[in-house]
Amino acid sequence: MSESMTTLTVKNRFEDYPQQPHGGELVDRVLTGSELEEAVIRAKTLPTIMVDLEAVITLEMIATGVLSPNEGFMNEVDYKSVLTVGRLSNGLVWPVPLSFAPIGNRNKEVVKTLSIGDEVALCDESHEPVAIMTIEDIFDYDKEYRASHLFGTTDRDHPGVDAIFRRMGDTALGGPIKLLRRVDWGPFEKLRLEPKDTWHEFYEEKKFRSAAGFITGANPLHRGHEYIHKNALEEIDGLLLQPLVEMAKREYTRHEFRMLSYRSVLDTYYPKGRSILAPLRVTYIFAGPRETVLHALIMKNYGCTHALIGRDHAGIGEYYDKYASHTIFNEFDPKELGIDVRLFHEVFYCTRCDSPATGQSCPHDEQYRINISGTGIREMLRHGIMPPKEIVRPESARIAIQGVQPKGLDENDVSISPVGKTIKSMFPFYLDRVRLGGRKRATPLTVEELTNLDLENVNLDVRSNADRIYREVFEEFTNVGDTNRNLQPEWVADARDAVRSQQQMVIQDLEEKIVQAPVVASDEFMYQDKEEAERELEVAKKILADMPKVLRSEDIEYRSWNLLPYNRYRGSDEPKDK
């Protein structure tokens, strides 16, 4: 079958699906059969360029359709169009450039020999060819131009900017690629799903009419993620959960443990058959809001009809506005994106609401909040502390704590992130209040003076009181509201009875005392006059009035007054014939 016929078949396949690949065609540049055998032999005769792991991953993404409609690395026209206006030269939305500028003296010498129309073999560290690239364009690669347009900065402290200067050369090659072999994903190979697999599972096996994608970075599954997922599941048939693997910083949780923590929570708390877990092996671009748009298009290419985007999706420290990953979508017509983007505000746990919430739905202030900070969660794991159940399920934290890197504290008893910063990010109330929902401190604590002991104390406080706040509020309401007093503990009523009885005894004694008290005491330090005794009696009576009432069944009979049989309300008022 010819390549054009294959393409036509793939395009027709999507006509009955509720989604279409970006650009209308799911790219497939993976060679198979005799074509692969011929290409492998030919690759050994071609000029060779060595590529690193990030480039290998990008080649795989292109070839398997993750980055459709791109069939290779961009030519100069598309490259500059994407950098300046966020679109390919044909007008199709594409937020980040796919560029290839080999670095290294040997590679530079090879590049000098290439001309448009040539083929070149791209080899990994094993010196075996991974792909063949056909050269369609050769152009100068300006690192500062790329950095300023893509990231809005040339600051080398920005990880994306730093990657350009570390990994990119001075000459870019543009042209389509053909993949000769997939790289083994190690522990993730058994979970690996390519776009062709998810389209099949969504719309042929499971018969979904909608699917939501969720791409997440270096953190184990927490309750903020769960809040977003379950909101989506109320109206969307299925979820594709794609934790990013491989190319994250080393101080994160090891990816295999992160995947296992996901599986543990999904097995226990998510509806069966509606959530698909598949690792996403991508190169981190660190492009902030632009990378968020890229992720939405990747979800689209995996067959998702909806993209779930959190508050700080693909955020990079303080380089971008808090909600830049939301506002960037204002720049595009939803129809041209072709995927329904659902934006979620920052999720926290409100102990007064007794549920995860956002500022859009919760009216309570920070004294009741436990924040969900990915960095804070990782640092607590590093301290050897299981985070509060309100923000991380224990099924997730118990596994993730085994995979955090590096483990434990250093020789100075500190972790990567200062402990004060961790406490402030997750437990903001602690700096101003002595405990969760408690009184204000006379002098607020500063981040700098917080210690590991404070981290332990605030965790113990939250473990004891996070679920207690709403429980005690509920208990007060039920004590007043239950007309069926069998639900109320007898010992509470007995204790209140005893307290009221004892206070009535105090009042009776003071009433007797007033009768005997002189109008003027002979010695004010030893004897009490009538006026002071009367004030004590007044206070004692107010204390009795302030006490909670004892509510037993006989005390609240007045609340039930209509004793007609219930069937009188459901049928005829006439009595049935006997």
Side-chain angles (χ1 to χ4, degrees):
M1 183 181 291
S2 69
E3 187 174 340
S4 60
M5 291 179 65
T6 302
T7 300
L8 181 61
T9 302
V10 173
K11 290 176 72 173
N12 288 343
R13 171 189 171 194
F14 296 100
E15 288 181 358
D16 296 328
Y17 293 162
Q19 182 56 291
Q20 303 293 309
H22 194 52
E25 177 183 343
L26 187 64
V27 168
D28 183 358
R29 307 290 292 182
V30 181
L31 298 185
T32 59
S34 59
E35 192 176 7
L36 172 61
E37 293 173 4
E38 185 274 329
V40 169
I41 295 171
R42 190 171 76 256
K44 296 183 183 299
T45 68
L46 298 175
T48 298
I49 290 178
M50 303 300 296
V51 295
D52 62 11
L53 179 60
E54 289 197 50
V56 170
I57 292 172
T58 302
L59 289 168
E60 212 171 75
M61 292 170 68
I62 293 170
T64 58
V66 175
L67 302 177
S68 296
N70 297 283
E71 297 186 341
F73 293 108
M74 292 177 177
N75 59 36
E76 186 174 17
V77 173
D78 278 333
Y79 170 74
K80 289 188 173 178
S81 178
V82 167
L83 278 179
T84 54
V85 297
R87 298 171 184 274
L88 298 171
S89 57
N90 64 7
L92 186 71
V93 173
W94 195 263
V96 298
L98 298 177
S99 54
F100 180 51
I103 196 170
N105 293 332
R106 182 185 176 282
N107 282 343
K108 288 180 181 179
E109 292 303 315
V110 174
V111 169
K112 289 178 183 179
T113 69
L114 298 176
S115 302
I116 291 175
D118 288 349
E119 287 187 322
V120 60
L122 307 180
C123 297
D124 64 10
E125 59 184 10
S126 70
H127 297 279
E128 291 297 319
V130 174
I132 293 176
M133 178 180 184
T134 302
I135 309 299
E136 288 187 349
D137 199 2
I138 303 173
F139 56 96
D140 292 336
Y141 189 80
D142 186 330
K143 299 182 184 68
E144 291 204 356
Y145 180 85
R146 174 177 172 129
S148 60
H149 282 80
L150 181 59
F151 305 119
T153 179
T154 57
D155 181 3
R156 286 290 294 268
D157 287 337
H158 186 296
V161 175
D162 183 60
I164 292 176
F165 285 89
R166 281 190 300 102
R167 296 187 58 251
M168 297 297 186
D170 300 319
T171 303
L173 305 177
I177 62 98
K178 292 182 179 180
L179 195 71
L180 304 183
R181 62 182 173 90
R182 293 177 173 86
V183 177
D184 188 272
W185 284 20
F188 312 116
E189 188 66 35
K190 60 182 178 290
L191 297 172
R192 175 177 182 159
L193 291 176
E194 294 175 357
K196 62 181 174 59
D197 303 316
T198 53
W199 285 90
H200 174 74
E201 188 163 354
F202 288 165
Y203 303 120
E204 294 174 16
E205 288 191 2
K206 294 183 178 294
K207 307 299 182 184
F208 288 163
R209 298 309 300 168
S210 59
F214 184 80
I215 294 175
T216 180
N219 303 313
L221 177 60
H222 56 60
R223 299 289 294 274
H225 296 146
E226 188 177 327
Y227 174 90
I228 293 173
H229 300 163
K230 291 189 173 178
N231 267 279
L233 282 172
E234 291 292 341
E235 57 172 326
I236 298 168
D237 290 345
L239 285 175
L240 177 63
L241 306 177
Q242 294 186 290
L244 300 177
V245 297
E246 291 294 346
M247 301 306 297
K249 295 178 183 177
R250 291 191 64 192
E251 77 266 18
Y252 291 162
T253 305
R254 291 288 190 207
H255 304 296
E256 57 271 27
F257 288 94
R258 203 155 45 85
M259 293 296 293
L260 290 167
S261 76
Y262 259 82
R263 289 170 61 184
S264 179
V265 175
L266 293 180
D267 287 346
T268 310
Y269 296 100
Y270 283 56
K272 306 300 181 188
R274 294 179 61 198
S275 301
I276 299 169
L277 179 65
L280 182 60
R281 199 177 187 193
V282 303
T283 51
Y284 277 72
I285 302 170
F286 301 106
R290 281 207 187 203
E291 192 165 4
T292 303
V293 178
L294 175 65
H295 285 172
L297 297 181
I298 287 176
M299 295 178 214
K300 179 182 178 182
N301 283 329
Y302 270 93
C304 296
T305 55
H306 296 70
L308 309 179
I309 305 295
R311 188 272 297 177
D312 193 30
H313 191 104
I316 306 294
E318 303 297 324
Y319 283 98
Y320 306 107
D321 180 71
K322 183 176 182 180
Y323 281 100
S325 288
H326 286 191
T327 57
I328 192 170
F329 288 101
N330 296 334
E331 300 175 15
F332 306 102
D333 186 321
K335 291 182 179 179
E336 61 182 348
L337 285 175
I339 186 167
D340 189 337
V341 178
R342 300 294 175 88
L343 305 174
F344 290 85
H345 285 71
E346 185 173 16
V347 183
F348 51 82
Y349 195 92
C350 176
T351 56
R352 181 63 182 85
C353 291
D354 195 30
S355 66
T358 72
Q360 299 292 97
S361 58
C362 171
H364 305 114
D365 61 26
E366 284 191 342
Q367 69 167 309
Y368 293 112
R369 290 183 186 178
I370 309 172
N371 285 345
I372 303 176
S373 160
T375 302
I377 290 169
R378 293 198 304 274
E379 291 307 302
M380 284 185 59
L381 295 174
R382 203 181 320 285
H383 277 76
I385 296 173
M386 294 269 286
K389 65 184 185 303
E390 287 75 17
I391 60 172
V392 184
R393 298 278 190 189
E395 292 86 348
S396 176
R398 190 195 65 79
I399 293 175
I401 203 170
Q402 299 172 59
V404 70
Q405 295 291 330
K407 300 177 186 295
L409 309 183
D410 66 15
E411 65 276 10
N412 297 314
D413 203 29
V414 298
S415 188
I416 289 174
S417 180
V419 68
K421 184 177 178 181
T422 299
I423 293 173
K424 182 179 180 181
S425 70
M426 296 183 67
F427 311 108
F429 67 86
Y430 187 76
L431 278 73
D432 295 313
R433 295 180 180 271
V434 295
R435 62 182 180 278
L436 186 60
R439 65 171 175 81
K440 283 195 169 186
R441 298 182 186 275
T443 303
L445 300 176
T446 63
V447 169
E448 292 74 22
E449 68 184 292
L450 295 173
T451 67
N452 290 351
L453 182 60
D454 290 294
L455 183 62
E456 293 170 8
N457 287 339
V458 72
N459 268 282
L460 289 173
D461 174 36
V462 168
R463 288 183 183 185
S464 298
N465 297 315
D467 58 359
R468 173 184 169 193
I469 292 174
Y470 189 71
R471 184 176 72 247
E472 291 189 354
V473 169
F474 176 74
E475 287 171 357
E476 285 301 306
F477 274 81
T478 60
N479 189 273
V480 173
D482 278 339
T483 54
N484 182 345
R485 302 312 290 179
N486 293 326
L487 275 67
Q488 289 299 314
E490 189 70 21
W491 59 83
V492 172
D494 289 347
R496 290 183 178 180
D497 251 340
V499 171
R500 293 184 69 86
S501 176
Q502 292 161 7
Q503 190 63 16
Q504 286 166 346
M505 178 182 67
V506 171
I507 290 171
Q508 182 179 352
D509 193 76
L510 289 174
E511 288 174 338
E512 293 173 359
K513 183 178 181 179
I514 287 172
V515 174
Q516 301 170 358
V519 175
V520 178
S522 58
D523 185 336
E524 63 176 316
F525 296 104
M526 291 185 63
Y527 303 103
Q528 192 176 38
D529 60 28
K530 187 179 291 289
E531 183 180 358
E532 188 173 353
E534 288 173 343
R535 287 188 63 187
E536 284 186 342
L537 176 61
E538 181 183 351
V539 169
K541 288 181 176 179
K542 286 185 177 180
I543 290 174
L544 179 64
D546 289 340
M547 289 178 178
K549 291 185 177 180
V550 180
L551 295 178
R552 301 185 188 274
S553 296
E554 57 271 21
D555 297 316
I556 57 175
E557 287 180 353
Y558 69 90
R559 299 187 190 182
S560 301
W561 63 88
N562 191 330
L563 302 179
L564 285 174
Y566 184 68
N567 62 11
R568 294 285 300 277
Y569 288 90
R570 302 288 295 181
S572 170
D573 282 343
E574 298 298 325
K576 291 183 179 181
D577 294 333
K578 295 184 179 179

